[in-house]
Amino acid sequence: RGFMTLGEDRLQLAARLGQTLACLFLDLDGFKHVNDTLGHDEGDEVLRDTAEALKETFRASDLIGRIGGDEFAVLLLCDESDQVETLRTRLETALETVNQRTSRPYRLALSMGLATKAPGENLSLEDLMDTADQRMYTDKIARKGSESR
């Protein structure tokens, strides 16, 4: 609920500043398996490590929230100089750093979906998040397909 309230503020701020608002939706790959096989304490550790990687990747002014059990969302303002598409690489690098620091029998990985709202575009926060969520599921399906090859 807090994420949505603050997200509405970001939506209004982006409109006032004439900037694009980007929404990144993230889902932990294999989280249920970790909880089911290694226990909830290990699952909690995965969530903490994921939050750490998110904080390392994004600016302090970006809004990061846990949306559900293994889902996170990020809202950030962008201008012409921002390269939103590089966020995936930066986040994967942060996850790799976390993975290298531990000796787990699994690796942290995230499926991601990105949606943007350009200045003047008539999209609600819910629409923006729904689009990012749908794109995240498309990414998750594609990642599962590439893992089985």
Side-chain angles (χ1 to χ4, degrees):
R1 198 169 44 180
F3 183 87
M4 296 304 289
T5 300
L6 292 172
E8 288 293 338
D9 291 345
R10 291 298 196 290
L11 195 66
Q12 292 173 9
L13 180 62
R16 189 174 75 233
L17 296 175
Q19 290 187 323
T20 296
L21 182 68
C23 178
L24 192 61
F25 220 84
L26 311 155
D27 185 81
L28 275 162
D29 297 335
F31 183 69
K32 182 178 178 349
H33 178 73
V34 170
N35 265 343
D36 290 349
T37 59
L38 301 173
H40 291 281
D41 288 342
E42 185 69 18
D44 289 346
E45 187 66 28
V46 167
L47 293 173
R48 281 190 292 276
D49 287 346
T50 301
E52 177 186 328
L54 292 172
K55 286 192 267 184
E56 289 175 11
T57 300
F58 297 98
R59 301 170 293 206
S61 61
D62 298 334
L63 181 60
I64 302 170
R66 184 173 167 211
I67 302 302
D70 62 349
E71 292 181 332
F72 294 84
V74 181
L75 288 174
L76 58 143
L77 297 177
C78 307
D79 61 22
E80 302 305 323
S81 64
D82 279 339
Q83 298 293 320
V84 177
E85 296 301 325
T86 64
L87 292 174
R88 175 185 295 272
T89 303
R90 287 173 42 200
L91 184 53
E92 287 176 347
T93 299
L95 286 173
E96 185 59 30
T97 299
V98 171
N99 282 328
Q100 288 175 358
R101 285 194 307 245
T102 65
S103 59
R104 300 182 178 136
Y106 59 88
R107 299 180 58 72
L108 290 184
L110 291 166
S111 294
M112 302 176 217
L114 174 69
T116 58
K117 180 191 174 303
E121 194 173 3
N122 189 20
L123 278 176
S124 70
L125 180 59
E126 290 80 14
D127 292 339
L128 185 64
M129 290 181 69
D130 285 346
T131 300
D133 187 27
Q134 291 168 11
R135 290 177 179 163
M136 181 272 300
Y137 277 109
T138 300
D139 183 51
K140 185 172 276 299
I141 291 167
R143 290 167 65 86
K144 282 184 180 178
S146 68
E147 289 172 3
S148 63
R149 291 181 195 152

